[in-house]
Amino acid sequence: MWRRSLESLVFSISRRYVAKECNMAQLIDGKSIAQDIRKQLTQELKELLTTGCPVPHLTAVIVGEDEASKKYVANKMVACREVGISCETKKLPASTTQEELLDVIAKLNKDPQVSGILVQLPVPDHINERTICNAVHVDKDVDGFNEQNMGRLALDMDSLVPATPLGVKRLLEHFNIETLGRNAVVVGRSKNVSLPMAILLSSDGRYNTKALDATVTICHRHTPPKELARYCRNADIIVVAVGKVGLITKDMIKPGACVIDVGINRIKDEKTGTFKLVGDVDFDEVRQVAGHITPVPGGVGPMTVAMLLHNTLKASKKQFSDRNSC
Ligand code: BQF
């Protein structure tokens, strides 16, 4: 009895001590940083137009009726209009064949009015995603998913870089997070987010991609949970892109580490019965030990959209200068 109460007394005192000692992580407000970037892009576009460059045009292709995909494409259209990029969405039924989709892409590739093309992923199961990504012309591939853009990124060559990892890089730079020689862990091994993220984190900052010079570990579904925790605890920067609620917990975080949550999960709020977005990181707990942390929503997501606009301007600029030089 005495021991119990003594223990609980010690526990509550030590908790208070820890609470006093702990500095809450700095919040990485991607929403507001993305808004600033859109403002800069608006200005940049204005200047570009005075040089005679035609108004950039982005065509998004969406196949089927996935609700999240529709929302994402709608977000992108709103963002384009805000900065003055012309845009349209081509909606194709879920029954569209791969050949039909390839045909649509071929026409857009040839259309000189179209400066950027994106095929919203995922595509239906009967369509091969890799075939589709590779079909988009390398210079119009504003998602950066084409094999040539991905290859160029891996080889430190200038390319259209996938928007999410590019957005994460911008966030790290915005907060002056040290990466050179630091330990970074990427959790997840998707080709569209984690792979280009790992390349950007580990590549040489002296080259075209101005990469981040970190020591990088990629963890994935076959990494045993204990090993995942060990790698994460050793990391100065953690980027999580898995899609598993609560995957990253407080005990896996080195104090002061920078935690970037790319996960987007829709969960039901038991209190209100409504759905809400949460990431892969146990935000409320992890923020007590991390140095920096991104929220979900409002963290990486808005940066992804801003970087898509950046890529569309970049593609437009290159096409304009290529046309004028030959
Ligand atoms: C926010 C995406 C998984 C699979 C395919 C803002 C977006 C999301 C969240 C958004 C995403 C995720 C996009 C927030 C585009 C990011 O406020 O937190 C914007 O529109 N995204 C996509 O096009 O395809 C995906 C995630």
Side-chain angles (χ1 to χ4, degrees), residues 12-24 288:
S12 70
I13 289 173
S14 67
R15 254 177 71 110
R16 211 170 297 167
Y17 184 67
V18 169
K20 223 184 195 174
E21 281 288 288
C22 93
N23 292 306
M24 289 286 249
Q288 296 167 18

Side-chain angles (χ1 to χ4, degrees), residues 31 69 71-73 75-76 120-122 164 262 264 277 295-305:
K31 193 174 171 182
S69 291
K71 182 124 186 280
Y72 295 147
V73 170
N75 285 347
K76 293 169 188 179
Q120 183 62 40
L121 300 180
T164 301
V262 186
I264 295 185
L277 293 185
V296 176
V300 175
M303 293 298 290
T304 297
V305 177

Side-chain angles (χ1 to χ4, degrees), residues 47-175:
E47 284 156 26
L48 189 63
L49 295 182
T50 65
T51 68
C53 181
V55 176
H57 179 89
L58 174 69
T59 301
V61 181
I62 180 166
V63 186
E65 301 291 327
D66 182 74
E67 288 307 317
S69 291
K70 282 189 198 170
K71 182 124 186 280
Y72 295 147
V73 170
N75 285 347
K76 293 169 188 179
M77 297 295 112
V78 168
C80 277
R81 290 195 188 100
E82 184 195 323
V83 310
I85 294 172
S86 150
C87 60
E88 76 185 309
T89 304
K90 278 201 185 308
K91 293 181 185 154
L92 304 177
S95 59
T96 305
T97 65
Q98 180 164 303
E99 282 59 42
E100 286 166 336
L101 180 55
L102 288 172
D103 202 49
V104 168
I105 294 168
K107 289 201 173 84
L108 295 170
N109 282 341
K110 270 189 232 141
D111 187 342
Q113 311 274 35
V114 173
S115 33
I117 304 167
L118 80 82
V119 180
Q120 183 62 40
L121 300 180
V123 287
D125 287 342
H126 64 276
I127 296 175
N128 184 296
E129 186 176 300
R130 183 58 13 228
T131 305
I132 296 310
C133 291
N134 291 347
V136 175
H137 192 284
V138 59
D139 290 338
K140 297 190 179 187
D141 174 35
V142 290
D143 267 341
F145 296 160
N146 174 292
E147 59 187 335
Q148 295 179 62
N149 275 316
M150 208 66 101
R152 292 179 65 90
L153 175 64
L155 298 171
D156 299 317
M157 297 160 78
D158 187 49
S159 66
L160 290 163
V161 177
T164 301
L166 193 59
V168 172
K169 179 168 174 276
R170 279 284 189 104
L171 291 178
L172 296 175
E173 287 163 350
H174 187 272
F175 285 88

